[in-house]
PDB file of all heavy atoms in Angstrom:
ATOM      1  N   LEU A  35      -4.193 -17.769  -2.181  1.00 88.00           N
ATOM      2  CA  LEU A  35      -3.949 -16.613  -3.033  1.00 88.00           C
ATOM      3  C   LEU A  35      -5.080 -15.599  -2.916  1.00 88.00           C
ATOM      4  O   LEU A  35      -4.833 -14.394  -2.825  1.00 88.00           O
ATOM      5  CB  LEU A  35      -3.789 -17.058  -4.484  1.00 88.00           C
ATOM      6  CG  LEU A  35      -3.566 -15.938  -5.495  1.00 88.00           C
ATOM      7  CD1 LEU A  35      -2.261 -15.203  -5.200  1.00 88.00           C
ATOM      8  CD2 LEU A  35      -3.565 -16.492  -6.897  1.00 88.00           C
ATOM      9  N   LEU A  36      -6.309 -16.066  -2.903  1.00 89.00           N
ATOM     10  CA  LEU A  36      -7.447 -15.161  -2.756  1.00 89.00           C
ATOM     11  C   LEU A  36      -7.396 -14.432  -1.409  1.00 89.00           C
ATOM     12  O   LEU A  36      -7.642 -13.230  -1.331  1.00 89.00           O
ATOM     13  CB  LEU A  36      -8.760 -15.929  -2.889  1.00 89.00           C
ATOM     14  CG  LEU A  36     -10.027 -15.094  -2.819  1.00 89.00           C
ATOM     15  CD1 LEU A  36     -10.064 -14.078  -3.945  1.00 89.00           C
ATOM     16  CD2 LEU A  36     -11.241 -15.988  -2.861  1.00 89.00           C
ATOM     17  N   GLY A  37      -7.060 -15.156  -0.355  1.00 85.00           N
ATOM     18  CA  GLY A  37      -6.926 -14.520   0.952  1.00 85.00           C
ATOM     19  C   GLY A  37      -5.837 -13.466   0.974  1.00 85.00           C
ATOM     20  O   GLY A  37      -6.016 -12.387   1.543  1.00 85.00           O
ATOM     21  N   LEU A  38      -4.705 -13.750   0.348  1.00 88.00           N
ATOM     22  CA  LEU A  38      -3.615 -12.768   0.295  1.00 88.00           C
ATOM     23  C   LEU A  38      -4.030 -11.524  -0.488  1.00 88.00           C
ATOM     24  O   LEU A  38      -3.711 -10.399  -0.093  1.00 88.00           O
ATOM     25  CB  LEU A  38      -2.377 -13.395  -0.336  1.00 88.00           C
ATOM     26  CG  LEU A  38      -1.670 -14.460   0.495  1.00 88.00           C
ATOM     27  CD1 LEU A  38      -0.527 -15.075  -0.304  1.00 88.00           C
ATOM     28  CD2 LEU A  38      -1.156 -13.871   1.789  1.00 88.00           C
ATOM     29  N   LEU A  39      -4.748 -11.707  -1.588  1.00 91.00           N
ATOM     30  CA  LEU A  39      -5.200 -10.561  -2.375  1.00 91.00           C
ATOM     31  C   LEU A  39      -6.210  -9.709  -1.608  1.00 91.00           C
ATOM     32  O   LEU A  39      -6.156  -8.475  -1.660  1.00 91.00           O
ATOM     33  CB  LEU A  39      -5.799 -11.038  -3.693  1.00 91.00           C
ATOM     34  CG  LEU A  39      -4.811 -11.627  -4.692  1.00 91.00           C
ATOM     35  CD1 LEU A  39      -5.549 -12.190  -5.898  1.00 91.00           C
ATOM     36  CD2 LEU A  39      -3.788 -10.595  -5.121  1.00 91.00           C
ATOM     37  N   VAL A  40      -7.103 -10.350  -0.879  1.00 91.00           N
ATOM     38  CA  VAL A  40      -8.087  -9.608  -0.093  1.00 91.00           C
ATOM     39  C   VAL A  40      -7.399  -8.829   1.019  1.00 91.00           C
ATOM     40  O   VAL A  40      -7.693  -7.647   1.245  1.00 91.00           O
ATOM     41  CB  VAL A  40      -9.164 -10.561   0.472  1.00 91.00           C
ATOM     42  CG1 VAL A  40     -10.019  -9.879   1.517  1.00 91.00           C
ATOM     43  CG2 VAL A  40     -10.022 -11.101  -0.649  1.00 91.00           C
ATOM     44  N   VAL A  41      -6.471  -9.455   1.717  1.00 89.00           N
ATOM     45  CA  VAL A  41      -5.742  -8.773   2.793  1.00 89.00           C
ATOM     46  C   VAL A  41      -4.944  -7.608   2.227  1.00 89.00           C
ATOM     47  O   VAL A  41      -4.929  -6.517   2.802  1.00 89.00           O
ATOM     48  CB  VAL A  41      -4.832  -9.761   3.553  1.00 89.00           C
ATOM     49  CG1 VAL A  41      -3.856  -9.032   4.436  1.00 89.00           C
ATOM     50  CG2 VAL A  41      -5.678 -10.702   4.378  1.00 89.00           C
ATOM     51  N   ALA A  42      -4.272  -7.818   1.094  1.00 90.00           N
ATOM     52  CA  ALA A  42      -3.483  -6.739   0.485  1.00 90.00           C
ATOM     53  C   ALA A  42      -4.376  -5.561   0.123  1.00 90.00           C
ATOM     54  O   ALA A  42      -4.020  -4.405   0.366  1.00 90.00           O
ATOM     55  CB  ALA A  42      -2.756  -7.261  -0.746  1.00 90.00           C
ATOM     56  N   ARG A  43      -5.547  -5.829  -0.423  1.00 93.00           N
ATOM     57  CA  ARG A  43      -6.443  -4.733  -0.802  1.00 93.00           C
ATOM     58  C   ARG A  43      -6.946  -3.977   0.424  1.00 93.00           C
ATOM     59  O   ARG A  43      -6.977  -2.748   0.445  1.00 93.00           O
ATOM     60  CB  ARG A  43      -7.633  -5.266  -1.591  1.00 93.00           C
ATOM     61  CG  ARG A  43      -8.563  -4.151  -1.991  1.00 93.00           C
ATOM     62  CD  ARG A  43      -9.539  -4.574  -3.053  1.00 93.00           C
ATOM     63  NE  ARG A  43     -10.232  -3.404  -3.555  1.00 93.00           N
ATOM     64  CZ  ARG A  43     -11.506  -3.148  -3.330  1.00 93.00           C
ATOM     65  NH1 ARG A  43     -12.222  -3.987  -2.620  1.00 93.00           N
ATOM     66  NH2 ARG A  43     -12.068  -2.071  -3.817  1.00 93.00           N
ATOM     67  N   ILE A  44      -7.340  -4.695   1.456  1.00 90.00           N
ATOM     68  CA  ILE A  44      -7.844  -4.043   2.661  1.00 90.00           C
ATOM     69  C   ILE A  44      -6.753  -3.205   3.322  1.00 90.00           C
ATOM     70  O   ILE A  44      -6.985  -2.062   3.726  1.00 90.00           O
ATOM     71  CB  ILE A  44      -8.415  -5.089   3.641  1.00 90.00           C
ATOM     72  CG1 ILE A  44      -9.698  -5.674   3.077  1.00 90.00           C
ATOM     73  CG2 ILE A  44      -8.652  -4.490   5.018  1.00 90.00           C
ATOM     74  CD1 ILE A  44     -10.225  -6.868   3.835  1.00 90.00           C
ATOM     75  N   VAL A  45      -5.560  -3.769   3.428  1.00 88.00           N
ATOM     76  CA  VAL A  45      -4.461  -3.053   4.079  1.00 88.00           C
ATOM     77  C   VAL A  45      -4.077  -1.814   3.281  1.00 88.00           C
ATOM     78  O   VAL A  45      -3.881  -0.730   3.842  1.00 88.00           O
ATOM     79  CB  VAL A  45      -3.245  -3.990   4.268  1.00 88.00           C
ATOM     80  CG1 VAL A  45      -2.006  -3.218   4.632  1.00 88.00           C
ATOM     81  CG2 VAL A  45      -3.552  -5.030   5.331  1.00 88.00           C
ATOM     82  N   LEU A  46      -3.962  -1.951   1.970  1.00 87.00           N
ATOM     83  CA  LEU A  46      -3.528  -0.814   1.162  1.00 87.00           C
ATOM     84  C   LEU A  46      -4.582   0.282   1.077  1.00 87.00           C
ATOM     85  O   LEU A  46      -4.231   1.466   0.997  1.00 87.00           O
ATOM     86  CB  LEU A  46      -3.128  -1.286  -0.233  1.00 87.00           C
ATOM     87  CG  LEU A  46      -1.865  -2.147  -0.271  1.00 87.00           C
ATOM     88  CD1 LEU A  46      -1.599  -2.647  -1.676  1.00 87.00           C
ATOM     89  CD2 LEU A  46      -0.671  -1.381   0.258  1.00 87.00           C
ATOM     90  N   THR A  47      -5.863  -0.073   1.095  1.00 90.00           N
ATOM     91  CA  THR A  47      -6.886   0.971   1.037  1.00 90.00           C
ATOM     92  C   THR A  47      -7.052   1.698   2.366  1.00 90.00           C
ATOM     93  O   THR A  47      -7.487   2.848   2.378  1.00 90.00           O
ATOM     94  CB  THR A  47      -8.247   0.406   0.605  1.00 90.00           C
ATOM     95  OG1 THR A  47      -8.627  -0.638   1.493  1.00 90.00           O
ATOM     96  CG2 THR A  47      -8.201  -0.104  -0.811  1.00 90.00           C
TER      97      THR A  47
END
Side-chain angles (χ1 to χ4, degrees):
L35 178 63
L36 183 61
L38 290 175
L39 291 174
V40 168
V41 167
R43 180 165 190 250
I44 290 170
V45 167
L46 292 176
T47 57

